[in-house]
């Protein structure tokens, strides 16, 4: 190092008042400070001494003039560079201590080291050592409100020494202390000077200033007296502030501090926090529950449609255009389709409402006249007895197979229907079998509530005409279902002379059902997301209030070296924590609510993707809506923030 440590040349500082008037606080101050000096700057209130200290420490910048630290012009330093200068070059001791409430003495002392990126073990060891040297080792886990004024000021001094800053700036360090505590603090500053630190003491008390080796008097923004610059007393004066890298604390170093600060802030305003979390909780719970309901409904519909078979082709009578004459589908059409390649089975279909009776029990249901191929075509086994046969069809036999639900209604005491007669529209039919339980496949009436009779019998005895409503075709190879469908269309168009029918396959039905349910799930999800966004606005509100309430704390952090990015990161992490906590509660509530709905009303299906997505969305929402408050905090002026109430 060569030349003075600190050099100010014609420094001026002008503030613009609320009324727009320019107020000049410093009026051409020129000053040099050698490394190792103990300098006291005295003057009455309003003389400009505190403004001068803020400029010396990089908290404020002059309106004009030059300021050099060890030959480096720092007048025009911006943002992170100015934060690095404060972090590595200067230690601040304030009149009102400026310790962060809710944190212990040790945590306050560690703070500059955290922003300098020191490892946790090194940081903690140095904090314990400094507090021990100042007689506070047994009080290191106490919070500021548990310490006396003198003890708080000693914690402030320990914090100023944390990063081994070569320059100590003390602004009225005894102003809030009794005489005994004030004397202790002055003695500590004298010891630091004797150890080689450059100490600059701002005070209005001339008796306190007498402890310094050099006294500078200010009045009306000018230096009016200077006792001179004696040579530094120590043999090895303190080095100049090192020009270290601007980068400070990493994301992971900041994470613990941000988490602690967030938890303190949440705990200090429990009721307000609960109200803020409510929006996120409801939003996340809604997302999970509504998506589970949508997924449950989708899977239920897909199960119903899928149970009919993806290997099925449906041929429906009628073109859908009333202007075209229609030729009915016939049993001969179904027999012709059976001869086509890739066709496994064909099931002609007619249905009609019927009244079924056994003993004194009547039951109104649907009667299906179909073929013996139904179990194969529908992949629907018989639970008891046997399905009617092709011989029964040819003979027009009065036999019937009961759906599972019909059997339970007509034979409620567990009696087997096999071999019994039931009346179908007052016509006796012999029961040969009971179908396995299938469930609701149509969305309206359960297939378990059907009665099945041979096609020829149904036409002759129940319906009266042979016009088929539907021909159901099952295929061997689903991969060739499109070609099979086209072959059926060509065959029937040739037989009828026109395309007076409609044809589609099971894959199309499943795709259509899936698209419909996806749309419904999307609508439910959008409704839930809106609720989540409302919760995000609540997070933004609480973070804006938090910035206002903690403005001085932000100023303290900036004074000890926090960069704008450090402040922004901390408040973003706090917003993410608030939203994440609400997200966890919302996940639990959504799972519980969905489970209750599933038990009482409808099927619900929870997916890991929906749960993880909802929780992640909560955190993301918190960060997005916390960005404005975080940036507002990061852009605060350190001097203005420190002066806030």
């Amino acid at each position: 190092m060569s030349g003075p440590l600190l050099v100010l040349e014609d420094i001026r500082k002008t503030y613009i008042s609320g009324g727009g008037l320019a107020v000049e606080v410093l009026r051409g101050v020129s000053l040099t400070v050698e490394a190792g000096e103990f300098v006291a700057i005295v003057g009455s209130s309003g003389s400009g001494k505190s403004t001068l200290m803020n400029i010396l420490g990089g908290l404020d910048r002059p309106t004009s003039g030059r300021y050099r630290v060890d030959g480096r012009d720092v007048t025009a330093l911006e943002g992170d560079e100015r934060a690095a200068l404060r972090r590595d070059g200067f230690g601040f001791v304030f009149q009102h201590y400026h310790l962060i409430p809710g944190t212990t003495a040790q945590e306050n002392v560690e703070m500059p080291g955290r922003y300098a990126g020191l490892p946790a073990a090194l940081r903690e060891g140095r904090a314990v050592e400094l507090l021990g040297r100042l007689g506070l080792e047994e009080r290191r886990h106490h919070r500021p409100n548990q310490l006396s004024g003198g003890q708080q000021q000693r914690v402030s001094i320990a914090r100023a020494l944390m990063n081994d800053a070569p320059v100590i700036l003390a602004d009225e360090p005894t102003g809030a202390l009794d005489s005994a505590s004030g004397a202790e603090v002055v003695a500590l500053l004298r010891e630091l000077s004797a150890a080689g630190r450059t100490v600059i003491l701002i005070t209005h008390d001339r008796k306190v200033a007498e402890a310094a080796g050099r006294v500078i008097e200010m009045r009306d923004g000018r230096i009016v007296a200077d006792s001179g610059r004696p040579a530094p007393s120590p043999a090895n004066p303190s080095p100049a502030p090192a020009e270290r890298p601007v980068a400070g604390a990493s994301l992971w170093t900041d994470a613990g501090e941000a988490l602690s600060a967030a938890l303190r802030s949440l705990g200090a305003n429990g009721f307000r926090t609960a109200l803020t979390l409510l929006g996120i909780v409801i939003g996340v719970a809604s997302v999970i529950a509504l998506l589970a309901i949508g997924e449950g409904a989708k899977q239920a519909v897909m199960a119903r449609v899928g149970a009919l078979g993806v290997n099925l082709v449906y041929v429906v009578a009628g073109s859908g255009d009333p202007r075209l004459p229609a030729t009915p589908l016939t049993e001969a059409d179904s027999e012709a389709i059976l001869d086509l390649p890739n066709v496994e089975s064909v099931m002609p279909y007619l249905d009609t409402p019927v009244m079924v009776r056994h003993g004194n029990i009547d039951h109104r249901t649907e009667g299906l006249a179909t073929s013996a191929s139904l179990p194969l075509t529908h992949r629907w086994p018989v639970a008891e007895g046997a399905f009617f046969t092709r011989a029964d069809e040819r003979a027009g036999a009065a036999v019937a197979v009961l759906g599972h639900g019909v059997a339970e209604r007509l034979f409620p005491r567990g009696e087997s229907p096999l071999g019994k007669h039931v009346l179908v529209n007052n016509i006796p039919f012999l029961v040969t079998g009971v179908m396995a339980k299938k469930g609701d496949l149509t969305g309206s009436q359960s297939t378990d509530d059907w009665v099945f009779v041979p096609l020829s019998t149904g036409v002759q005895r129940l319906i009266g005409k042979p016009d088929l409503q539907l021909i159901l075709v099952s295929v061997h190879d689903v991969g060739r279902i499109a070609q099979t469908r086209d072959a059926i269309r060509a065959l029937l168009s040739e037989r009828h002379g026109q395309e007076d029918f409609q044809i589609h396959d099971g894959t199309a039905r499943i795709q259509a059902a899936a698209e419909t349910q996806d749309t419904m799930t999307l609508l439910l999800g959008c409704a839930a997301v809106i609720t989540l966004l409302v919760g995000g606005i609540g997070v933004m509100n609480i973070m804006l209030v938090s910035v206002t309430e903690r403005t001085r704390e932000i100023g303290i952090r900036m004074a000890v070296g926090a960069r704008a990015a450090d402040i922004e990161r901390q408040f973003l992490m706090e917003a993410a924590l608030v939203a994440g906590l609400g997200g966890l509660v919302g996940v639990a509530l959504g799972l519980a609510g969905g489970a209750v709905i599933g038990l009482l009303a409808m099927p619900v299906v929870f997916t890991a993707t929906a749960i993880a997505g909802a929780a992640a969305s909560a955190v993301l929402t918190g960060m997005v809506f916390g960005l404005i408050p975080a940036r507002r905090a990061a852009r605060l002026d350190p001097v203005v923030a420190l002066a806030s109430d």
Side-chain angles (χ1 to χ4, degrees):
M1 183 186 70
S2 61
L5 176 60
L6 308 177
V7 178
L8 294 92
E9 298 175 356
D10 194 28
I11 294 296
R12 296 177 181 273
K13 181 63 180 180
T14 302
Y15 291 106
I16 305 299
S17 69
L21 298 176
V23 179
E24 193 173 27
V25 180
L26 296 180
R27 304 178 181 183
V29 174
S30 295
L31 174 65
T32 60
V33 177
E34 300 287 346
E37 278 195 271
F38 187 173
V39 180
I41 301 177
V42 298
S44 59
S45 179
S47 62
K49 59 185 185 299
S50 292
T51 300
L52 179 60
M53 189 205 77
N54 290 334
I55 291 175
L56 286 169
L59 289 171
D60 204 355
R61 66 182 72 236
T63 304
S64 64
R66 291 184 65 194
Y67 173 35
R68 287 176 290 159
V69 178
D70 191 32
R72 179 189 180 199
D73 188 351
V74 299
T75 307
L77 291 183
E78 299 287 345
D80 290 352
E81 291 181 314
R82 186 170 291 273
L85 176 69
R86 294 192 297 267
R87 182 188 71 206
D88 301 326
F90 298 93
F92 292 89
V93 181
F94 299 101
Q95 175 181 357
H96 297 291
Y97 329 128
H98 284 338
L99 303 179
I100 295 181
T103 60
T104 65
Q106 181 175 326
E107 290 169 338
N108 271 282
V109 174
E110 287 184 33
M111 191 181 304
R114 180 176 289 111
Y115 290 126
L118 297 181
L122 178 60
R123 205 169 62 224
E124 293 170 7
R126 182 160 176 77
V128 172
E129 177 192 354
L130 289 170
L131 289 170
R133 282 165 51 187
L134 296 176
L136 292 172
E137 184 174 3
E138 295 182 356
R139 310 286 288 177
R140 61 192 178 97
H141 295 303
H142 288 67
R143 290 179 170 79
N145 61 357
Q146 299 170 318
L147 302 173
S148 68
Q151 289 171 333
Q152 290 186 61
Q153 194 60 286
R154 277 185 279 167
V155 173
S156 178
I157 293 172
R159 182 179 62 191
L161 297 173
M162 180 66 195
N163 286 348
D164 200 24
V167 182
I168 302 298
L169 299 174
D171 185 12
E172 299 282 6
T174 63
L177 302 176
D178 56 51
S179 57
S181 298
E184 289 181 6
V185 169
V186 171
L188 283 171
L189 294 176
R190 191 181 289 135
E191 289 178 18
L192 293 174
S193 175
R197 305 279 177 182
T198 301
V199 179
I200 300 176
L201 170 65
I202 307 294
T203 182
H204 67 279
D205 190 337
R206 291 185 179 276
K207 290 184 179 181
V208 172
E210 290 173 358
R214 178 183 177 191
V215 179
I216 297 172
E217 183 178 356
M218 293 191 68
R219 186 182 305 144
D220 298 329
R222 295 186 176 91
I223 294 177
V224 296
D226 188 344
S227 67
R229 299 196 307 272
S233 55
N236 297 306
S238 59
E243 189 173 343
R244 301 178 192 175
V246 171
S250 66
L251 173 63
W252 298 113
T253 303
D254 258 0
E257 166 63 16
L259 179 62
S260 300
L263 291 173
R264 287 194 301 271
S265 178
L266 294 178
N269 301 279
F271 184 69
R272 185 180 70 189
T273 300
L275 291 178
T276 303
L277 293 179
L278 190 60
I280 294 292
V281 169
I282 294 175
V284 171
S286 299
V287 168
I288 291 176
L290 292 179
L291 288 181
I293 291 171
E295 185 65 23
K298 175 182 176 179
Q299 292 195 15
V301 170
M302 296 302 293
R304 290 196 298 267
V305 175
L308 290 174
V310 295
N311 67 326
L312 299 180
V313 176
Y314 300 81
V315 182
V316 183
S319 64
D321 187 346
R323 296 171 299 176
L324 295 177
T327 302
L329 294 173
T330 65
E331 191 172 1
D333 289 331
S334 67
E335 291 174 353
I337 293 172
L338 186 60
D339 294 331
L340 291 175
N342 196 39
V343 171
E344 178 186 46
S345 65
V346 175
M347 188 189 98
Y349 176 107
L350 272 170
D351 69 12
T352 185
V354 295
M355 176 66 75
V356 186
R357 173 182 294 178
H358 178 259
N360 59 355
I361 300 175
D362 291 336
H363 179 54
R364 184 170 295 279
T365 185
E366 288 287 320
L368 267 73
T370 184
S371 70
S373 62
L374 181 144
L376 173 62
T377 306
H378 257 308
R379 303 296 193 268
W380 191 355
V382 178
E384 295 182 58
F387 207 77
F388 51 78
T389 65
R390 294 282 296 181
D392 293 328
E393 288 185 65
R394 289 192 294 271
V399 294
V401 177
L402 305 183
H404 186 272
V406 177
E408 287 187 338
R409 286 177 176 271
L410 297 182
F411 301 88
R413 297 180 181 178
E415 179 186 0
S416 174
L418 299 181
K420 305 290 194 306
H421 282 83
V422 296
L423 297 179
V424 181
N425 286 353
N426 290 322
I427 300 172
F429 280 77
L430 177 67
V431 177
T432 65
V434 176
M435 300 300 294
K437 190 172 184 179
K438 188 78 167 177
D440 181 10
L441 301 182
T442 66
S444 55
Q445 185 180 24
S446 173
T447 53
D448 292 330
D449 207 34
W450 289 346
V451 174
F452 307 92
V453 299
L455 180 64
S456 57
T457 306
V459 169
Q460 296 170 6
R461 302 193 179 193
L462 300 177
I463 301 171
K465 59 179 181 177
D467 299 347
L468 299 179
Q469 298 164 330
L470 173 73
I471 298 175
L472 199 59
V473 182
S474 67
V475 301
H476 292 287
D477 183 1
V478 177
R480 295 164 53 204
I481 195 169
Q483 295 93 316
T484 305
R485 182 188 62 213
D486 293 341
I488 295 172
R489 176 179 287 109
L491 172 67
L492 293 181
S493 296
E494 181 181 354
R495 288 176 60 85
H496 291 200
Q498 60 181 347
E499 190 171 324
D500 55 358
F501 52 87
Q502 300 174 57
I503 184 169
H504 50 84
D505 58 65
T507 56
R509 288 169 63 92
I510 289 179
Q511 182 179 0
E515 290 175 353
T516 300
Q517 289 303 315
D518 284 343
T519 301
M520 292 302 298
T521 302
L522 179 63
L523 292 175
L524 292 174
C526 288
V529 167
I530 292 173
T531 307
L532 191 60
L533 292 177
V534 173
I537 295 173
V539 171
M540 182 170 65
N541 287 337
I542 194 175
M543 294 307 299
L544 287 171
V545 172
S546 181
V547 170
T548 302
E549 292 177 343
R550 297 162 58 191
T551 299
R552 178 177 291 184
E553 176 190 327
I554 295 168
I556 296 170
R557 293 180 183 275
M558 289 179 168
V560 300
R563 302 165 296 164
D566 295 325
I567 300 297
E568 183 174 320
R569 185 187 303 155
Q570 177 178 335
F571 278 87
L572 275 177
M573 292 185 72
E574 289 187 24
L577 176 66
V578 171
L581 182 60
L584 291 177
V585 177
V587 166
L589 187 61
L591 292 174
V596 171
I597 293 173
L599 290 173
L600 300 179
M602 61 185 69
V604 295
V605 176
F606 297 105
T607 63
T609 301
I611 295 171
S617 296
V619 175
L620 182 62
T621 298
M623 295 186 70
V624 169
F625 283 92
L627 187 60
I628 292 176
R631 287 188 172 175
R632 177 175 294 186
R635 291 172 183 172
L636 288 175
D637 187 299
V639 174
V640 175
L642 282 169
S644 68
D645 295 329

